[in-house]
Amino acid sequence: MRSAGIRGVMYNDKVLEHFKNPHNVGTIENPDGFAEVGSSECGDTMKMYLRVKDGRIEDIKYQTYGCCAAIASSSVATDMVKGKSIDEADAITKTAIVEELGGLPEKKIHCSLMVEDAIHAAIADYRSKHKK
Ligand code: FES
């Protein structure tokens, strides 16, 4: 797999493709679940919005104020959980996100953790608002 550098960090083609053409960017009005989280490592932040229907993630959008790895992780992770049940989506890990991207440089793993945290927090928000 080819790779290219952004600000001195080498990324593979899949990461660069998601960075250049990120999927699911945006907001959802009156979301069923919402979270804003930050990375304690770098101070970057992101917002995650969920639309849930019949226990499944019907739509998911985000705004990421972060680096190439954070944007690529947001893009691929939201693709991974879209259409999944809440429990399946809540099982997502940074390891699965990084694997789906074909790898990230070691010093950029924390960027995928921010995305994992945002999905878990948005689901927790959904659950807290929709307790039976
Ligand atoms: Fe902050 Fe990647 S360096 S999210």
Side-chain angles (χ1 to χ4, degrees), residues 24 27-28 31-33 49-53 56-61 78 81-83:
N24 309 311
T27 63
I28 294 174
D32 298 310
Y49 304 79
L50 302 180
R51 172 74 63 233
V52 179
K53 192 168 179 208
R56 296 201 165 264
I57 301 204
E58 185 183 61
D59 199 10
I60 181 165
K61 301 269 190 220
T78 49
V81 301
K82 204 169 182 176

Side-chain angles (χ1 to χ4, degrees), residues 8-44:
V9 180
M10 301 300 284
Y11 294 106
N12 70 41
D13 283 351
K14 188 165 183 182
V15 174
L16 293 171
E17 183 51 38
H18 277 278
F19 170 58
K20 288 180 196 154
N21 299 296
H23 308 172
N24 309 311
V25 176
T27 63
I28 294 174
E29 211 168 310
N30 301 318
D32 298 310
F34 170 77
E36 181 167 11
V37 304
S39 168
S40 56
E41 196 124 348
C42 63
D44 290 333

